[in-house]
Amino acid sequence: MLVFLYIVNGGSTLPKQTFFNLPEEKKQILIQSAEKEFSRVPLFEASISNIIKAAGIPRGSFYQYFEGKEDIYFYLLDKMAGQRKGKFIAFLQKHDGDLIEAMFAMFECMLHEQEHISFMKNAFLNMTHKVEYSFLGIFSDEESISDFKEVSAQINKNSLSISGDQELYHIMQILTAVTFRNFVAKFARGLSDEQAMKSYRIEMNLLKKGIYKG
Amino acid sequence: MLVFLYIVNGGSTLPKQTFFNLPEEKKQILIQSAEKEFSRVPLFEASISNIIKAAGIPRGSFYQYFEGKEDIYFYLLDKMAGQRKGKFIAFLQKHDGDLIEAMFAMFECMLHEQEHISFMKNAFLNMTHKVEYSFLGIFSDEESISDFKEVSAQINKNSLSISGDQELYHIMQILTAVTFRNFVAKFARGLSDEQAMKSYRIEMNLLKKGIYKG
DNA sequence: TTTACTGATGACAGGGTGTCATATTTAGGT
DNA sequence: ACCTAAATATGACACCCTGTCATCAGTAAA
């Protein structure tokens, strides 16, 4: 689970073992070809034909490695999100466990991210429930999630108005939902980094102090 | 714009005039056939072939009325959301302008909604940025939105900790985002109405009082 | 070398898509 | 009533993509 940067695939789609058995080079070519296609168009418009054309592998091979395009898509998504998990924990540590400060840092960090920008844009604008799982980590089981605990351990709970892990869980849900929506808005409306940050700041402050008086 | 019930299509996809010129009966058949298909599978999996088969019209005719399946999909979505707008305003009035109470009422009301349940489920689980526009009304132009004002007028702002319409706008964004996410969670995890309501209550209370202490 | 298993390949049938030339209907004008 | 032009209706068609499967190749153990 975890904030808008970690991942958990829900266990649904995974490449077959044959893919992992592939020589590193061939694997990389496939990954790059897939990212190219998913950067061009969102998942639902992506075509396997384009991926194999770019990778130079026969059609049958693709199905040897994956059940369908979702497998490699979520593999990529998980891979990228996994790379970000450490960052968030680092931000938490840097800000003495202040959840919202860490969120700000992460949000800004992602605003500046350029490497997978097209891929991300397509992901954000065509966010499906399953894709969100990868990004936000929404769990059916609130407890016993090692990832949640790993992050939870870094959070300074003294400044939060919570009574237990249950509420912390919901706070994370709220924060990720709002953070997420702000990200989508940036892409959808083509906001500048400054505009996006400003809007995000306003909403995070509202979350902090609450929307009702007193 | 408007809360998780109203609509604004972003002006992007619309049926052609020829569709509106159709005799009422034929229009209804088409609408029903489309809803049937979109209840079966999400938008991206829906096939025009199935719709025309069910409606008993030739393929060419479909393209006479719409540019593609998106046109009729968003037409349906807008139609349903429009039907809900009045409800929300009524709830606001019933609760003396209390925004969150009205939200509770609306959330509960939607939980019990049965009529378009499959259609909705597919919409919620495959929520795209464009679909969200229809549901949440996220605008690029914060001002001059007559719909926003229409609802805004019914809101009791005394109990809200805001300084102007700008903040009210962001509050609405936050509330709709969280409400929305709770709805998706209900469908995704198959929560009972009670469980969904409980989770929603916790999060709305957190929003009310704020997530930071004093 | 034989056997058995794992992986690679590309031809193929099935199905969906958007278009377009042609046919039909509608609305005016005379 | 008749004729013409514009609007609408129709379905065959070419195109593209998909998932499968029979066949071929590689490899390692017996």
Side-chain angles (χ1 to χ4, degrees):
Chain A
M1 111 72 100
L2 233 356
V3 58
F4 58 110
L5 10 124
Y6 190 39
I7 275 298
V8 150
N9 192 321
S12 42
T13 51
L14 271 179
K16 301 182 185 174
Q17 186 55 45
T18 46
F19 172 70
F20 296 107
N21 293 343
L22 245 35
E24 192 58 29
E25 192 198 359
K26 197 168 180 181
K27 234 189 310 185
Q28 289 307 322
I29 292 180
L30 248 172
I31 288 175
Q32 283 170 27
S33 304
E35 179 168 352
K36 184 179 165 197
E37 176 67 357
F38 295 129
S39 297
R40 186 182 68 86
V41 287
L43 174 59
F44 78 96
E45 286 184 70
S47 97
I48 293 173
S49 289
N50 280 337
I51 297 176
I52 61 176
K53 206 181 303 166
I57 65 168
R59 184 164 199 80
S61 292
F62 185 91
Y63 287 96
Q64 200 78 40
Y65 312 139
F66 313 102
E67 307 237 321
K69 58 183 174 181
E70 290 77 16
D71 280 9
I72 189 167
Y73 182 78
F74 286 104
Y75 171 76
L76 279 179
L77 212 52
D78 284 9
K79 203 154 156 273
M80 291 177 193
Q83 289 167 356
R84 281 189 297 262
K85 180 191 175 185
K87 273 191 193 170
F88 186 68
I89 291 187
F91 283 136
L92 267 176
Q93 289 168 340
K94 184 175 166 191
H95 291 95
D96 302 317
D98 188 311
L99 188 50
I100 288 201
E101 286 306 315
M103 281 279 189
F104 274 132
M106 196 69 215
F107 188 76
E108 193 155 31
C109 174
M110 288 182 72
L111 280 183
H112 298 148
E113 174 83 41
Q114 286 299 317
E115 197 179 346
H116 307 291
I117 190 81
S118 293
F119 182 96
M120 287 306 203
K121 181 170 177 176
N122 281 329
F124 274 110
L125 292 184
N126 294 79
M127 192 57 56
T128 263
H129 164 248
K130 271 175 91 175
V131 176
E132 266 191 77
Y133 262 49
S134 261
F135 268 93
L136 304 183
I138 303 171
F139 292 91
S140 42
D141 181 13
E142 300 181 11
E143 255 61 60
S144 78
I145 309 295
S146 68
D147 287 316
F148 176 72
K149 289 186 177 164
E150 190 176 348
V151 169
S152 169
Q154 302 296 330
I155 297 174
N156 175 3
K157 298 169 194 79
N158 293 330
S159 55
L160 298 176
S161 72
I162 56 171
S163 55
D165 261 18
Q166 161 93 333
E167 284 201 337
L168 179 58
Y169 173 81
H170 286 285
I171 283 184
M172 294 299 282
Q173 291 295 111
I174 291 171
L175 286 179
T176 51
V178 171
T179 302
F180 203 78
R181 189 66 30 95
N182 271 273
F183 236 91
V184 173
K186 178 207 160 51
F187 286 114
R189 303 194 207 159
L191 301 183
S192 72
D193 290 2
E194 291 70 34
Q195 289 172 309
M197 203 64 201
K198 186 185 160 202
S199 173
Y200 187 57
R201 238 177 246 293
I202 294 174
E203 297 191 5
M204 291 304 261
N205 280 332
L206 281 168
L207 290 184
K208 249 172 142 168
K209 70 179 181 187
I211 63 179
Y212 269 40
K213 272 183 191 161
Chain B
M1 111 71 101
L2 231 356
V3 60
F4 58 109
L5 8 124
Y6 190 38
I7 275 300
V8 150
N9 192 323
S12 42
T13 52
L14 270 179
K16 300 182 185 175
Q17 186 54 45
T18 45
F19 172 70
F20 297 108
N21 293 342
L22 247 34
E24 191 58 30
E25 193 198 359
K26 197 168 180 182
K27 235 189 311 187
Q28 288 308 321
I29 292 180
L30 249 172
I31 288 174
Q32 283 169 28
S33 305
E35 179 169 353
K36 184 179 165 197
E37 177 67 357
F38 294 129
S39 297
R40 185 182 70 84
V41 287
L43 174 59
F44 78 97
E45 284 186 69
S47 97
I48 293 172
S49 289
N50 279 338
I51 297 176
I52 61 177
K53 208 181 301 166
I57 65 168
R59 183 165 200 80
S61 291
F62 185 91
Y63 287 95
Q64 200 77 43
Y65 311 139
F66 313 102
E67 307 237 324
K69 58 184 174 179
E70 289 77 14
D71 280 10
I72 190 166
Y73 182 78
F74 286 105
Y75 172 76
L76 279 179
L77 213 52
D78 285 9
K79 203 153 158 274
M80 290 176 192
Q83 289 167 358
R84 281 190 297 263
K85 181 191 175 186
K87 273 191 193 170
F88 186 68
I89 290 185
F91 282 136
L92 266 176
Q93 289 168 340
K94 183 175 167 192
H95 291 94
D96 301 318
D98 188 311
L99 188 51
I100 288 201
E101 287 306 315
M103 281 280 188
F104 275 132
M106 197 68 214
F107 188 75
E108 192 154 34
C109 174
M110 288 181 72
L111 281 181
H112 298 148
E113 175 82 40
Q114 286 299 316
E115 197 178 347
H116 307 291
I117 191 79
S118 293
F119 182 96
M120 287 307 202
K121 181 170 177 176
N122 282 329
F124 274 110
L125 291 185
N126 294 79
M127 191 58 56
T128 262
H129 164 248
K130 272 174 90 174
V131 175
E132 266 190 77
Y133 261 50
S134 261
F135 268 93
L136 304 183
I138 303 170
F139 293 91
S140 42
D141 181 10
E142 301 182 10
E143 256 59 61
S144 79
I145 308 296
S146 68
D147 286 317
F148 176 72
K149 290 186 177 166
E150 190 177 347
V151 169
S152 169
Q154 302 295 331
I155 296 173
N156 175 2
K157 297 167 196 78
N158 292 330
S159 56
L160 298 177
S161 72
I162 56 170
S163 55
D165 261 16
Q166 160 94 333
E167 284 201 337
L168 180 59
Y169 172 81
H170 286 286
I171 283 183
M172 294 298 281
Q173 291 296 111
I174 291 171
L175 286 178
T176 51
V178 172
T179 302
F180 205 77
R181 190 65 31 96
N182 270 273
F183 235 91
V184 172
K186 179 206 159 50
F187 286 114
R189 306 193 208 159
L191 301 184
S192 72
D193 290 2
E194 291 70 34
Q195 289 172 309
M197 202 64 201
K198 186 186 160 203
S199 173
Y200 186 58
R201 237 178 247 291
I202 293 174
E203 297 191 4
M204 291 305 261
N205 280 332
L206 282 168
L207 290 183
K208 249 172 140 167
K209 70 178 181 189
I211 63 179
Y212 270 40
K213 274 184 189 159

